[in-house]
């Protein structure tokens, strides 16, 4: 399979569900800012979130700024696509949902500050899923075209940007993101291969 098909959800077999999920980050952020909805307090994770279990997922939908919303809209579907090409769409959705919940529970248990919002846990889960997926099918990927090399360097740049942004911003270490990474890694490593992984 060509590398560009491996990473991009817009190519056959198309993953419209992943694209819609990515656009949801931008749409929620845009509507919140444009209409001054103040969704942060309603969606973020806090000490009472276990009484409202949906907040174990909703915290990932509201972003601190438009740049992070755009980054999540791009990076999360790419990681999910790589996982789907290797293990199937059910594995991609399972990995991202487990990563979100594990990240939320890790924050509640390990971090003294009450609030959490943003898709960082999902980004780290998607990064782990994509890494494992690439490792599992690396010998089957083709870089025969220039676009495959461009997609490869683009994906590598996306990964490096995701990893360097917290360092550049001098953000403290978040154990919940490490847990989300491990969750995405375990789900994708344990999931059986899927028919898309042998697509040419």
């Amino acid at each position: 399979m060509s590398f560009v098909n491996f990473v991009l959800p817009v190519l056959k077999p198309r993953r419209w569900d992943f694209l819609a999920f990515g656009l949801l980050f931008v749409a929620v952020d845009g509507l919140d800012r444009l209409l001054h909805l103040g969704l942060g307090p309603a969606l973020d994770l806090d000490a009472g979130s276990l009484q409202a279990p949906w907040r174990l997922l909703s915290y990932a939908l509201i972003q601190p700024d438009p740049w992070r919303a755009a980054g999540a809209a791009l990076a999360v579907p790419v990681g999910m696509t790589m996982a789907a090409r290797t293990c199937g769409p059910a594995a991609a959705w399972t990995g991202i949902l487990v990563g979100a919940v594990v990240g939320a529970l890790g924050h509640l248990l390990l971090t003294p500050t009450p609030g959490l919002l943003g898709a960082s846990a999902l980004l780290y889960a998607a990064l782990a899923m994509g890494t494992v997926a690439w490792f599992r099918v690396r010998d089957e990927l083709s870089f025969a075209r220039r676009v495959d090399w461009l997609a490869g360097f683009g994906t590598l740049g996306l990964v490096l940007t995701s990893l360097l942004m917290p360092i550049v911003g001098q953000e403290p270490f978040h154990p919940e993101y490490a847990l989300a990474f491990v969750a995405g890694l375990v789900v994708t490593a344990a999931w059986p291969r899927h028919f898309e992984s042998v697509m040419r």
Side-chain angles (χ1 to χ4, degrees):
M1 144 183 19
S2 70
F3 188 82
V4 69
N5 281 80
F6 179 60
V7 297
L8 294 183
V10 294
L11 301 177
K12 292 182 180 180
R14 293 180 178 90
R15 298 302 328 172
W16 299 118
D17 51 344
F18 299 166
L19 286 170
F21 186 52
L23 291 175
L24 184 61
F25 296 120
V26 176
V28 170
D29 182 75
L31 289 173
D32 185 44
R33 293 177 191 284
L34 185 65
L35 302 178
H36 306 288
L37 299 176
L39 293 177
L43 298 179
D44 75 346
L45 191 71
D46 62 16
S49 293
L50 293 180
Q51 281 73 47
W54 55 272
R55 293 179 80 163
L56 297 177
L57 297 173
S58 67
Y59 75 94
L61 296 178
I62 188 74
Q63 309 307 313
D65 55 65
W67 294 109
R68 297 192 197 196
L74 179 63
V76 171
V78 166
M80 293 177 72
T81 300
M82 294 167 78
R85 302 286 195 236
T86 304
C87 304
W93 281 112
T94 300
I96 213 71
L97 292 174
V98 170
V101 172
V102 166
L105 293 175
H107 180 81
L108 292 175
L109 294 172
L110 301 174
T111 308
T113 54
L116 178 66
L117 58 82
S120 292
L122 275 64
L123 283 169
Y124 280 95
L127 173 60
M129 291 161 53
T131 301
V132 173
W134 170 82
F135 186 81
R136 291 183 70 178
V137 298
R138 66 193 184 281
D139 294 331
E140 302 169 34
L141 297 176
S142 167
F143 289 89
R145 302 173 300 169
R146 182 178 299 175
V147 68
D148 294 313
W149 284 97
L150 291 174
F153 283 115
T155 304
L156 186 59
L158 189 63
V159 169
L160 291 175
T161 301
S162 300
L163 293 175
L164 289 176
M165 284 303 291
I167 298 172
V168 172
Q170 297 183 338
E171 296 179 13
F173 173 72
H174 292 275
E176 61 267 32
Y177 300 158
L179 292 174
F181 182 91
V182 171
L185 188 150
V186 168
V187 168
T188 314
W191 210 278
R193 289 284 296 271
H194 187 259
F195 75 92
E196 286 186 22
S197 66
V198 294
M199 180 188 67
R200 292 291 185 266

